Amino acid sequence: MSSKIIEVNRLSKKYTTVSALDTVSFSIRQGEVVSLLGPNGAGKTTILSIILGLLTPTAGSVRLLGMDPRNQLVKQRIGVMLQETGLMDRLTVRELLKLFRSYYTKPLLLDDMIRITGLTTKELQNKVEYLSGGQKRRVNFALAVAGNPEVLILDEPTNGLDAISRASFWQGVTQLANQGKTIIFTTHYLHEADDIANRIILFNKGRVIANGSSDEIKEKLSKQYVSFKINNDTGIPQLKHPAIIGIEQRYDRIYIETKDTDSIVSYITQHQTNTYDIQIDKGKMEDVFHTLVKEGSK
């Protein structure tokens, strides 16, 4: 990967006595697909608003495409899909797409906008005010890509979509990612970050607490287990290994909590010959979130 598309340096945002962001720093390079994750109130929407030039930080700086985010030249090179976006009534969807294309010097071809976002012929003929919530989200996506952006910023883009529509949406995003677009998104659907993002930046209480791949974050912040069954169900075995954090029985399986699953599997196969159906659970993003939400309530 080449140049840095977004550079966030020691960014803070305070509202009277409330700190929404606290000395946040990270960068995103060209062609990356990055998800910003965290519990409600973690600072995700605030950081996106500052990156887009919609909010002024209390301290620190942001560069987007090497420029101040409020620079008009930046707006020609990015696409944005926010959670709440009004659409112009009385226009058909096709008329609205054509109107937005006219705002850009090098717009995406209309046929490409339709193909990527999955809009149907019937939807294109409908007036905007008669669209369902899910259809409006697809139109918002089409408007976000109208300018053939280098950078696409999506805030909870699949909120309100059914499972089939979400799958179709991410198929379109993947097409754009394969073209080398830089994509940043937030989501409450944790599996979307797992499936789509190259990298996750995890926020909690206004700070970045983890920055890496999904597997790296789960390994760092969630519990990992090796589980197995025992012939003749003799109960919890007496196992001694420095990598064992805890051991418990759940129904007919023994679960060993560990940070080194490989060494535990090797140990069990050598020293516990009456075991079978050995499984490795590397942790889940849901585990990370439950931990963060619990910490946030303290």
Side-chain angles (χ1 to χ4, degrees):
M1 294 184 182
S2 54
S3 60
K4 292 179 181 178
I5 295 297
I6 296 175
E7 295 180 82
V8 175
N9 184 34
R10 298 186 62 79
L11 204 65
S12 294
K13 179 64 179 179
K14 293 184 178 179
Y15 300 97
T16 59
T17 58
V18 178
S19 179
L21 294 174
D22 186 2
T23 57
V24 169
S25 297
F26 62 85
S27 63
I28 296 174
R29 293 187 174 275
Q30 181 180 347
E32 282 195 289
V33 180
V34 177
S35 180
L36 310 183
L37 292 185
N40 289 334
K44 306 183 301 296
T45 298
T46 299
I47 192 73
L48 284 187
S49 297
I50 294 175
I51 289 172
L52 292 171
L54 303 175
L55 277 180
T56 302
T58 304
S61 63
V62 174
R63 305 292 287 177
L64 176 54
L65 293 163
M67 295 175 277
D68 186 308
R70 294 165 292 186
N71 190 316
Q72 194 62 35
L73 294 175
V74 170
K75 302 183 187 305
Q76 283 286 324
R77 298 170 61 186
I78 67 171
V80 182
M81 184 177 172
L82 300 177
Q83 292 188 52
E84 300 292 337
T85 305
L87 296 173
M88 299 178 187
D89 292 341
R90 301 181 183 176
L91 294 177
T92 67
V93 172
R94 184 179 292 274
E95 289 169 341
L96 186 60
L97 300 190
K98 288 181 177 179
L99 176 63
F100 266 69
R101 287 186 74 252
S102 71
Y103 296 155
Y104 296 93
T105 55
K106 297 179 180 179
L108 191 65
L109 292 174
L110 183 61
D111 287 347
D112 287 341
M113 292 172 64
I114 295 168
R115 175 180 54 79
I116 289 170
T117 56
L119 289 165
T120 66
T121 300
K122 185 176 180 180
E123 287 170 337
L124 292 168
Q125 295 169 346
N126 280 348
K127 288 193 174 181
V128 171
E129 59 262 40
Y130 300 127
L131 299 177
S132 68
Q135 289 171 327
K136 287 182 178 179
R137 294 302 281 166
R138 282 201 294 278
V139 173
N140 282 329
F141 183 32
L143 301 183
V145 302
N148 195 18
E150 299 170 45
V151 183
L152 192 59
I153 298 176
L154 311 167
D155 191 13
E156 300 289 347
T158 58
N159 191 26
L161 295 181
D162 59 39
I164 294 175
S165 297
R166 288 202 302 270
S168 176
F169 173 85
W170 289 115
Q171 186 176 23
V173 170
T174 300
Q175 291 179 43
L176 295 168
N178 291 339
Q179 296 171 19
K181 308 289 188 184
T182 304
I183 299 169
I184 304 100
F185 69 92
T186 66
T187 180
H188 276 101
Y189 299 104
L190 303 182
H191 67 275
E192 294 181 342
D194 258 344
D195 294 342
I196 304 298
N198 313 127
R199 182 158 60 99
I200 292 171
I201 302 176
L202 190 58
F203 288 79
N204 195 33
K205 298 181 181 179
R207 291 176 175 266
V208 172
I209 62 167
N211 187 342
S213 70
S214 176
D215 286 344
E216 289 169 343
I217 288 175
K218 286 185 288 188
E219 184 175 349
K220 177 182 178 183
L221 296 175
S222 68
K223 295 180 179 180
Q224 300 177 55
Y225 294 95
V226 173
S227 70
F228 53 87
K229 294 181 179 181
I230 299 178
N231 287 317
N232 302 321
D233 189 19
T234 56
I236 298 177
Q238 297 297 314
L239 302 176
K240 294 183 179 181
H241 190 285
I244 294 177
I245 297 173
I247 183 168
E248 61 180 302
Q249 184 169 2
R250 303 177 198 167
Y251 302 105
D252 60 345
R253 298 189 69 82
I254 305 297
Y255 285 80
I256 297 175
E257 182 185 348
T258 179
K259 291 294 184 181
D260 189 351
T261 56
D262 290 342
S263 66
I264 293 300
V265 169
S266 177
Y267 175 78
I268 291 170
T269 54
Q270 292 178 40
H271 296 86
Q272 198 71 31
T273 56
N274 62 335
T275 61
Y276 67 101
D277 193 17
I278 298 174
Q279 297 178 9
I280 296 175
D281 183 351
K282 286 288 190 178
K284 300 176 182 178
M285 195 60 71
E286 286 85 353
D287 296 336
V288 176
F289 262 66
H290 289 157
T291 300
L292 296 182
V293 170
K294 187 175 180 180
E295 287 179 356
S297 64
K298 293 178 180 179

